[in-house]
Amino acid sequence: MKITLNPHAKDDATRNALVAEGGFGKYYTDHMVKCEWNEKDGWAEPELVPYGPITLDPATAVFHYGQEIFEGMKAYRQPDGSVELFRPRENAKRFANSARRLALPEMPVELFMETVETLLKQDSGWVPNKVGEALYIRPFMFATEIGLGVRPSNKATYLLIATPAGAYFDPSKAVSVWISTEYVRAAQGGTGEAKCGGNYAASLVAQKAAAKEGCDQVVWIDAKERKWIEEMGGMNLYFVKGKGAAATVITPKLTGTLLPGITRDSILSVAVDLGYKVEEVMLSIDDWREGVTSGEITEIFACGTAAVVSPIGQAKSAMGTWVTGDGQPGPITMQIRNHLLGIQHGTLEDKHNWMSAIK
Ligand SMILES: *Cc1c(COP(=O)(O)O)cnc(C)c1O
């Protein structure tokens, strides 16, 4: 890797003050990694360079046809002061899957890992220290062929940036959701399984509709039968049936239209480790309503890298409004959240070998 250090890197005191501010996505670390690809030569040698603006020709493909993908992952401070990544190879593999779907070049897992580890080593001072905080790492890639012809780009740019993420979890507040029966996130054969910017661009109007209904987030249902629960905004969903040791933890099945979340996958194991039954199911809007009305569904939460686990309280749709439990985060939701955070911060045993040290 070529290394060009930032002559204006923040000094320790300034950096620590910015990290201590918390928040998300306001400040970026001193460096970024860049890697160019073209059809003829493949991937070039990656470069660590100072973080900063990039210049692109107005006719660059990504601006016109949206050929872009991204990932989101976190590095956590460990009790001994070192820094570890949570399941980074899963992000690398999903990045390659997303690339394939968007006709972008697949970045080899080892090259992806090298870029992440090099940036982390250089900017490790930006990793926050408190539990619930982490350094959020954003790899992304976009089409850089110049021209307005519609075709898979013969050039692409990969960039890697990172931003400190504070603990924005407020345990006193469950998220309210609007179940959208008007808009569709993903259909069979579409890009629902890929992490691409276009999915998000198409979701914003539904997010706006949710806000108009007084809800924090939108919940998506399937495109065909318009009744199966898929996911929430940019997070996967979990439902808890029953209480205590007899509870079953369920999540919508991956049908080809849901984004296969790494947090979702990890919770399937964590719930079993904690002694619960787990099921991947088809769950309809009616199942949701009837389950919370009868009291069979006791807790609902969303999960993803950014917030880890977020409890869901009120659900609203064209068919009415219903509340889960007492609107407060449930005990199993909090237990799963704390267990996952414990593994990530190195205070609980990592029996699945999910944590990856920076060499
Ligand atoms: C990224 C993402 C998720 C969560 O995936 P994680 O790997 O757990 O962060 C869920 N749904 C969508 C639409 C996403 O983009």
Side-chain angles (χ1 to χ4, degrees):
M1 171 126 24
K2 282 189 242 169
I3 308 265
T4 309
L5 292 183
N6 187 345
H8 307 293
K10 304 273 189 304
D11 59 54
D12 290 356
T14 308
R15 185 189 65 232
N16 292 340
L18 298 182
V19 173
E21 258 186 51
F24 179 69
K26 193 163 165 201
Y27 304 110
Y28 291 83
T29 68
D30 297 310
H31 300 88
M32 60 185 189
V33 176
K34 193 172 180 176
C35 194
E36 303 283 359
W37 175 90
N38 70 59
E39 206 165 53
K40 189 168 143 280
D41 308 314
W43 289 101
E45 186 184 352
E47 257 186 285
L48 180 97
V49 294
Y51 182 92
I54 54 172
T55 303
L56 291 168
D57 189 285
T60 301
V62 65
F63 295 134
H64 305 278
Y65 309 121
Q67 205 186 346
E68 187 267 355
I69 58 167
F70 66 95
E71 265 305 322
M73 57 207 287
K74 276 181 174 172
Y76 294 85
R77 186 72 69 189
Q78 303 299 299
D80 67 358
S82 67
V83 172
E84 294 191 2
L85 289 155
F86 182 69
R87 308 189 72 182
R89 286 172 181 274
E90 297 304 313
N91 296 93
K93 286 184 226 159
R94 188 170 66 188
F95 195 58
N97 291 341
S98 299
R100 204 176 313 123
R101 179 61 184 83
L102 272 287
L104 283 162
E106 287 175 48
M107 176 176 258
V109 170
E110 292 313 318
L111 178 57
F112 180 96
M113 290 298 297
E114 182 192 351
T115 66
V116 173
E117 290 182 353
T118 305
L119 183 68
L120 252 184
K121 248 192 252 170
Q122 185 62 46
D123 287 344
S124 63
W126 288 85
V127 181
N129 292 314
K130 294 197 209 92
V131 170
E133 300 183 339
L135 186 68
Y136 183 85
I137 300 166
R138 166 55 57 88
F140 60 109
M141 191 204 303
F142 48 91
T144 45
E145 182 173 350
I146 294 168
L148 300 183
V150 181
R151 59 179 171 268
S153 180
N154 62 15
K155 285 174 70 185
T157 296
Y158 165 88
L159 287 176
L160 177 68
I161 59 175
T163 178
Y168 54 89
F169 180 70
D170 179 357
S172 66
K173 202 183 165 295
V175 172
S176 60
V177 296
W178 169 248
I179 303 175
S180 178
T181 44
E182 187 179 8
Y183 298 105
V184 165
R185 189 190 90 92
Q188 291 296 337
T191 55
E193 280 186 322
K195 224 167 161 68
C196 61
N199 286 345
Y200 280 78
S203 78
L204 299 175
V205 66
Q207 179 61 42
K208 240 174 149 172
K212 213 172 140 204
E213 296 291 340
C215 296
D216 302 312
Q217 289 286 341
V218 58
V219 162
W220 303 103
I221 55 175
D222 79 289
K224 198 170 169 201
E225 294 181 67
R226 307 299 293 134
K227 66 176 206 182
W228 303 110
I229 302 293
E230 297 204 325
E231 36 185 328
M232 178 193 96
M235 300 173 83
N236 294 110
L237 286 169
Y238 267 94
F239 297 78
V240 179
K241 281 190 173 172
K243 286 185 184 159
T248 303
V249 175
I250 66 177
T251 189
K253 207 180 188 155
L254 300 179
T255 55
T257 52
L258 283 74
L259 195 290
I262 296 163
T263 318
R264 174 192 179 279
D265 182 71
S266 305
I267 289 173
L268 283 173
S269 298
V270 163
V272 168
D273 294 345
L274 293 172
Y276 302 112
K277 287 188 286 297
V278 299
E279 281 171 20
E280 295 175 85
V281 299
M282 298 297 287
L283 187 107
S284 68
I285 301 181
D286 287 343
D287 294 334
W288 185 332
R289 185 187 56 233
E290 285 159 19
V292 297
T293 309
S294 73
E296 194 192 4
I297 293 176
T298 50
E299 303 179 30
I300 306 177
F301 62 90
C303 66
T305 296
V308 187
V309 165
S310 292
I312 295 175
Q314 177 174 287
K316 195 174 169 187
S317 74
M319 289 80 83
T321 299
W322 54 95
V323 179
T324 317
D326 58 4
Q328 296 294 310
I332 294 176
T333 301
M334 292 309 290
Q335 187 190 18
I336 288 173
R337 177 183 158 83
N338 291 334
H339 196 87
L340 204 48
L341 277 172
I343 295 171
Q344 290 167 333
H345 283 283
T347 56
L348 287 178
E349 188 200 351
D350 174 24
K351 65 187 246 190
H352 302 287
N353 282 318
W354 284 337
M355 302 308 292
S356 168
I358 305 307
K359 289 169 281 247

